[in-house]
Amino acid sequence: MDLDYHALAPEIVVAATILLVLGLDVALPRRRKYWTAFAGVVGLTLAAVPLVTLALGGGPGARSMLGGGYVVDDFALVLKAVFIAGGYLVLLMSVSYIESDRYYQGEYYLLLLTSILGSLIMASSRDLITVFVGLELVTGPLFLLAGWRKGDARSNEASLKFFILGVLSTAVLLYGMSFLYGLTGSVTFEGIRTAGAGLLDSGAFRLAVLFTLIGFGFKITAVPFHFWAPDTYEGAPTPVTAYLSVGSKAAGFVGLLLLCYRAFPSVTEIWGPALWVLAALSMTLGNLTALRQDNIVRMLAYSSIAQGGFILVPFAAAAVTNDPLVIQEAASATIVYVIIYAFMNLGAFAVVIEGARRTGTSMIDGWAGMWRYAPRLAVLGAVFFFSLAGIPPLAGWYAKFAMFLAILRPGNPWTAALAVIAAVNAVIALVYYARVGKTMWMDPLPDGASDGERTARPMSGALALALGISVIFVILAGVLPFQLAGVFAEAAKVVTAGI
Amino acid sequence: MIAAAIVTADWYMTLAAVLFLIGMAGLLLRNNALVMFMSVELMLNAVNLTFVAAARAHGDIGGQMAVLFVLVVAAAEVAVGLAIIVSIFRIRRTASVDDLSELSG
């Protein structure tokens, strides 16, 4: 076997951590189960070390394994770093939330780490089989995590809806993949790209591409394949919802990036319009529905659907042009948006977890006057929600800026129309994000609540650390965006290479 | 004429397409979680049939490898799915998805 153990080191460390957590869960007495969380945090920290050595010492050459099906290049490294950082934040957020509940802790961290391992595999996958295995490793444990509160009917329902729609999307995706293989005779992206160039007029090839896109449409909760998301997001434990809206979604976008730019560059006239429609629908419907929500978790669910639409926008720009620089800029815009979105959305969810614990409700009205009893939390809430809205100097503005730059570059009437739709939606989104800020800062305290009773309980250290990391990233990336963008451009160059 | 017909990959592809559509219809029309689950398995087996037929037609091993992975993942999904259904059944005493309406809006 031609395995490169240095390149595989992050996956190996995470896999070893998973086994360790499994062993600890069996060995530890019930009140010491929190050690499993500690092991998970340490394991993820160690997994980040080989990423740094690979990035510094690897040079520009990609490390390729398994017949080109598993590649560790700049694109894979950047995204693995994001997945590990995102998983790290979710672990930190989970600690106090899970401990305060009466369900099992060990399994929780085991399943979460397994899902993170799946996303690491997604970032490196360069053939259909590895993409499929990675994607299933991401979503399989999440079905169980969504239903983690076994005695709660809402959590069960969330889990079942997610499961049924999840396996349906897997079946559709696989059927598309089996067609791709049947038509091209290859499972690798390179093989599909080479053979696909000769299949431009084949109806079956177009159908296969569409099936694959639909399969990923479910995973990234693009409208009209989004209907499971709000129910699942609301019913699942909140840290799991945070992971669903960031980790599993980002894994879906990684798969979509790889397939569109590496496997299907010859059929841009199929996926271009399809993703144009998905982007426009996701932004518009996601935002309009988010406007009407009273529950903050449900609002964030619809807002994440809308944000998914913004992330899809640059694909439409890449599809209408042959200029490699424009395509590279579009891929870079998607990667930048995914990364910034990951941090700001996780931060927003950390605020929601802490806010719900303080106030005992996730209804937005119940958070009125929060600045009086939790001023720091109200400041953090404002930072993350305004970052999601795209207000400078918070990171969200650069994500939207890069997205608009990419979509306006080709100068095609269709992409211009999508830019207008995106601009209108950015304004609509500001309304509901700002509403949360207004409730926390300007509205009077709800009846019967005194300042004193809500100040008594301090925040857990792990959650404070998660909030700290996200807020530092959101502010740094917003103030110094072009330094970060240089890193992402390298990753985009890799994914669009050879178009 | 029928005796002269040679079974080509197209026949298997057609059978797989029919199986996939039956599975899809079952998933969308039935409301018992177990039956929906069986329908998904039917769809996955249609995928397997397509992969194997294509691998045979191309004389390539990749498709058969894919089938092995699909089988393993499908088995894992059965375990996850049944666990969820059992968990729901314990609370509700039914496996029908019609009664699931705690979450909406």
mmCIF file of all heavy atoms in Angstrom, chain A residues 296-314:
data_model
loop_
_atom_site.group_PDB
_atom_site.id
_atom_site.type_symbol
_atom_site.label_atom_id
_atom_site.label_comp_id
_atom_site.label_asym_id
_atom_site.label_seq_id
_atom_site.Cartn_x
_atom_site.Cartn_y
_atom_site.Cartn_z
ATOM 1 N N ILE A 296 -35.844 31.683 18.210
ATOM 2 C CA ILE A 296 -34.557 32.112 17.651
ATOM 3 C C ILE A 296 -33.828 30.963 16.957
ATOM 4 O O ILE A 296 -33.136 31.180 15.960
ATOM 5 C CB ILE A 296 -33.689 32.764 18.758
ATOM 6 C CG1 ILE A 296 -32.533 33.529 18.114
ATOM 7 C CG2 ILE A 296 -33.161 31.749 19.740
ATOM 8 C CD1 ILE A 296 -32.024 34.640 18.940
ATOM 9 N N VAL A 297 -34.037 29.715 17.424
ATOM 10 C CA VAL A 297 -33.375 28.585 16.759
ATOM 11 C C VAL A 297 -33.966 28.385 15.372
ATOM 12 O O VAL A 297 -33.250 28.167 14.385
ATOM 13 C CB VAL A 297 -33.511 27.305 17.600
ATOM 14 C CG1 VAL A 297 -32.875 26.137 16.883
ATOM 15 C CG2 VAL A 297 -32.849 27.494 18.944
ATOM 16 N N ARG A 298 -35.295 28.490 15.282
ATOM 17 C CA ARG A 298 -35.944 28.362 13.972
ATOM 18 C C ARG A 298 -35.531 29.488 13.049
ATOM 19 O O ARG A 298 -35.322 29.296 11.856
ATOM 20 C CB ARG A 298 -37.460 28.372 14.157
ATOM 21 C CG ARG A 298 -38.085 27.036 13.918
ATOM 22 C CD ARG A 298 -39.586 27.105 13.959
ATOM 23 N NE ARG A 298 -40.154 26.532 12.754
ATOM 24 C CZ ARG A 298 -40.155 25.227 12.481
ATOM 25 N NH1 ARG A 298 -39.630 24.379 13.314
ATOM 26 N NH2 ARG A 298 -40.685 24.776 11.380
ATOM 27 N N MET A 299 -35.399 30.691 13.624
ATOM 28 C CA MET A 299 -34.947 31.824 12.815
ATOM 29 C C MET A 299 -33.551 31.553 12.252
ATOM 30 O O MET A 299 -33.283 31.779 11.070
ATOM 31 C CB MET A 299 -34.937 33.092 13.658
ATOM 32 C CG MET A 299 -34.731 34.335 12.838
ATOM 33 S SD MET A 299 -34.054 35.662 13.838
ATOM 34 C CE MET A 299 -32.334 35.346 13.652
ATOM 35 N N LEU A 300 -32.665 31.026 13.112
ATOM 36 C CA LEU A 300 -31.310 30.718 12.640
ATOM 37 C C LEU A 300 -31.337 29.592 11.603
ATOM 38 O O LEU A 300 -30.499 29.568 10.692
ATOM 39 C CB LEU A 300 -30.406 30.330 13.805
ATOM 40 C CG LEU A 300 -29.777 31.498 14.557
ATOM 41 C CD1 LEU A 300 -28.985 30.991 15.738
ATOM 42 C CD2 LEU A 300 -28.878 32.303 13.647
ATOM 43 N N ALA A 301 -32.296 28.663 11.734
ATOM 44 C CA ALA A 301 -32.405 27.587 10.740
ATOM 45 C C ALA A 301 -32.700 28.182 9.373
ATOM 46 O O ALA A 301 -32.026 27.873 8.384
ATOM 47 C CB ALA A 301 -33.499 26.608 11.141
ATOM 48 N N TYR A 302 -33.715 29.074 9.303
ATOM 49 C CA TYR A 302 -34.039 29.679 8.009
ATOM 50 C C TYR A 302 -32.930 30.609 7.558
ATOM 51 O O TYR A 302 -32.636 30.717 6.363
ATOM 52 C CB TYR A 302 -35.383 30.407 8.075
ATOM 53 C CG TYR A 302 -36.549 29.457 8.046
ATOM 54 C CD1 TYR A 302 -37.304 29.190 9.173
ATOM 55 C CD2 TYR A 302 -36.871 28.787 6.875
ATOM 56 C CE1 TYR A 302 -38.355 28.295 9.145
ATOM 57 C CE2 TYR A 302 -37.926 27.895 6.828
ATOM 58 C CZ TYR A 302 -38.655 27.650 7.972
ATOM 59 O OH TYR A 302 -39.688 26.756 7.928
ATOM 60 N N SER A 303 -32.304 31.294 8.507
ATOM 61 C CA SER A 303 -31.205 32.174 8.106
ATOM 62 C C SER A 303 -30.059 31.358 7.529
ATOM 63 O O SER A 303 -29.397 31.791 6.584
ATOM 64 C CB SER A 303 -30.752 33.019 9.303
ATOM 65 O OG SER A 303 -29.432 32.741 9.659
ATOM 66 N N SER A 304 -29.842 30.134 8.058
ATOM 67 C CA SER A 304 -28.744 29.339 7.497
ATOM 68 C C SER A 304 -29.107 28.827 6.109
ATOM 69 O O SER A 304 -28.222 28.651 5.265
ATOM 70 C CB SER A 304 -28.375 28.194 8.436
ATOM 71 O OG SER A 304 -29.114 27.051 8.143
ATOM 72 N N ILE A 305 -30.404 28.621 5.850
ATOM 73 C CA ILE A 305 -30.811 28.270 4.481
ATOM 74 C C ILE A 305 -30.500 29.425 3.536
ATOM 75 O O ILE A 305 -29.950 29.249 2.448
ATOM 76 C CB ILE A 305 -32.316 27.915 4.443
ATOM 77 C CG1 ILE A 305 -32.558 26.602 5.168
ATOM 78 C CG2 ILE A 305 -32.808 27.828 3.011
ATOM 79 C CD1 ILE A 305 -34.011 26.294 5.410
ATOM 80 N N ALA A 306 -30.828 30.658 3.997
ATOM 81 C CA ALA A 306 -30.564 31.832 3.167
ATOM 82 C C ALA A 306 -29.071 32.028 2.955
ATOM 83 O O ALA A 306 -28.617 32.333 1.846
ATOM 84 C CB ALA A 306 -31.184 33.067 3.823
ATOM 85 N N GLN A 307 -28.273 31.825 4.009
ATOM 86 C CA GLN A 307 -26.821 31.975 3.878
ATOM 87 C C GLN A 307 -26.281 30.942 2.893
ATOM 88 O O GLN A 307 -25.356 31.228 2.124
ATOM 89 C CB GLN A 307 -26.126 31.803 5.227
ATOM 90 C CG GLN A 307 -26.541 32.810 6.275
ATOM 91 C CD GLN A 307 -25.751 34.109 6.191
ATOM 92 O OE1 GLN A 307 -24.852 34.231 5.389
ATOM 93 N NE2 GLN A 307 -26.114 35.070 7.010
ATOM 94 N N GLY A 308 -26.880 29.717 2.907
ATOM 95 C CA GLY A 308 -26.492 28.700 1.932
ATOM 96 C C GLY A 308 -26.719 29.191 0.512
ATOM 97 O O GLY A 308 -25.930 28.921 -0.393
ATOM 98 N N GLY A 309 -27.805 29.950 0.317
ATOM 99 C CA GLY A 309 -28.063 30.546 -0.995
ATOM 100 C C GLY A 309 -26.954 31.503 -1.402
ATOM 101 O O GLY A 309 -26.464 31.470 -2.533
ATOM 102 N N PHE A 310 -26.517 32.355 -0.455
ATOM 103 C CA PHE A 310 -25.417 33.290 -0.754
ATOM 104 C C PHE A 310 -24.156 32.515 -1.144
ATOM 105 O O PHE A 310 -23.409 32.925 -2.033
ATOM 106 C CB PHE A 310 -25.109 34.172 0.456
ATOM 107 C CG PHE A 310 -26.132 35.245 0.708
ATOM 108 C CD1 PHE A 310 -26.799 35.329 1.923
ATOM 109 C CD2 PHE A 310 -26.423 36.193 -0.261
ATOM 110 C CE1 PHE A 310 -27.739 36.314 2.159
ATOM 111 C CE2 PHE A 310 -27.359 37.178 -0.034
ATOM 112 C CZ PHE A 310 -28.026 37.240 1.184
ATOM 113 N N ILE A 311 -23.916 31.374 -0.447
ATOM 114 C CA ILE A 311 -22.706 30.608 -0.743
ATOM 115 C C ILE A 311 -22.782 30.014 -2.152
ATOM 116 O O ILE A 311 -21.764 29.844 -2.815
ATOM 117 C CB ILE A 311 -22.505 29.494 0.323
ATOM 118 C CG1 ILE A 311 -22.396 30.112 1.714
ATOM 119 C CG2 ILE A 311 -21.270 28.673 0.029
ATOM 120 C CD1 ILE A 311 -22.315 29.115 2.840
ATOM 121 N N LEU A 312 -24.007 29.710 -2.614
ATOM 122 C CA LEU A 312 -24.168 29.121 -3.948
ATOM 123 C C LEU A 312 -23.989 30.137 -5.066
ATOM 124 O O LEU A 312 -23.713 29.768 -6.209
ATOM 125 C CB LEU A 312 -25.562 28.496 -4.075
ATOM 126 C CG LEU A 312 -25.768 27.100 -3.510
ATOM 127 C CD1 LEU A 312 -27.231 26.705 -3.639
ATOM 128 C CD2 LEU A 312 -24.910 26.090 -4.242
ATOM 129 N N VAL A 313 -24.165 31.423 -4.753
ATOM 130 C CA VAL A 313 -24.171 32.454 -5.798
ATOM 131 C C VAL A 313 -22.930 32.408 -6.698
ATOM 132 O O VAL A 313 -23.057 32.439 -7.925
ATOM 133 C CB VAL A 313 -24.361 33.851 -5.152
ATOM 134 C CG1 VAL A 313 -23.977 34.963 -6.109
ATOM 135 C CG2 VAL A 313 -25.802 34.020 -4.706
ATOM 136 N N PRO A 314 -21.691 32.295 -6.155
ATOM 137 C CA PRO A 314 -20.529 32.335 -7.051
ATOM 138 C C PRO A 314 -20.479 31.195 -8.064
ATOM 139 O O PRO A 314 -19.871 31.353 -9.121
ATOM 140 C CB PRO A 314 -19.332 32.249 -6.091
ATOM 141 C CG PRO A 314 -19.854 32.712 -4.796
ATOM 142 C CD PRO A 314 -21.270 32.276 -4.743
#
